[in-house]
Amino acid sequence: MGFLIIWTIFTTVFAASADKSEVRLLPKWAWVVLCALLPFFGGLLYLMVGRPLRNNQGPSSGGRGRVIAPDDDPNFLRDISKFMRNKDQDDKDKK
């Protein structure tokens, strides 16, 4: 019984927090109602066919792209390299 309550809350909140323009098959409000009124099957249907699909677009998609690790991010590597050069130069100037 506890699992069913947790599942219902999770899927209902998950459906409610989704971007309404990315939800598939039914309107967002319909998925929220289905998740709340059909405790197990509504949530299962939402997760299988209603939830937004992840798209691996770059940062130009409004920040909704994939996350890049710092050591794979060329901007981060360039900035840290510039910082280290400046730090080395400052250390030399102090001597």
Side-chain angles (χ1 to χ4, degrees):
M1 184 67 174
F3 168 77
L4 193 57
I5 293 170
I6 292 171
W7 175 262
T8 303
I9 292 170
F10 168 75
T11 55
T12 303
V13 170
F14 193 59
S17 66
D19 185 3
K20 70 178 182 178
S21 65
E22 295 178 358
V23 174
R24 299 179 294 153
L25 199 60
L26 294 174
K28 177 180 168 177
W29 64 266
W31 283 118
V32 172
V33 170
L34 277 175
C35 290
L37 296 181
L38 298 173
F40 182 75
F41 296 106
L44 189 63
L45 277 173
Y46 174 72
L47 292 177
M48 289 175 35
V49 297
R51 70 184 172 92
L53 295 175
R54 291 218 179 254
N55 51 3
N56 291 329
Q57 297 174 352
S60 63
S61 65
R64 294 185 146 276
R66 65 183 179 93
V67 175
I68 299 174
D71 58 341
D72 292 336
D73 184 359
N75 293 329
F76 175 79
L77 294 174
R78 183 190 66 238
D79 292 344
I80 199 76
S81 176
K82 191 185 304 181
F83 172 79
M84 294 304 291
R85 278 193 308 259
N86 290 340
K87 186 175 183 315
D88 288 343
Q89 187 63 35
D90 288 345
D91 288 344
K92 287 180 186 178
D93 291 344
K94 287 181 181 178
K95 289 183 181 181

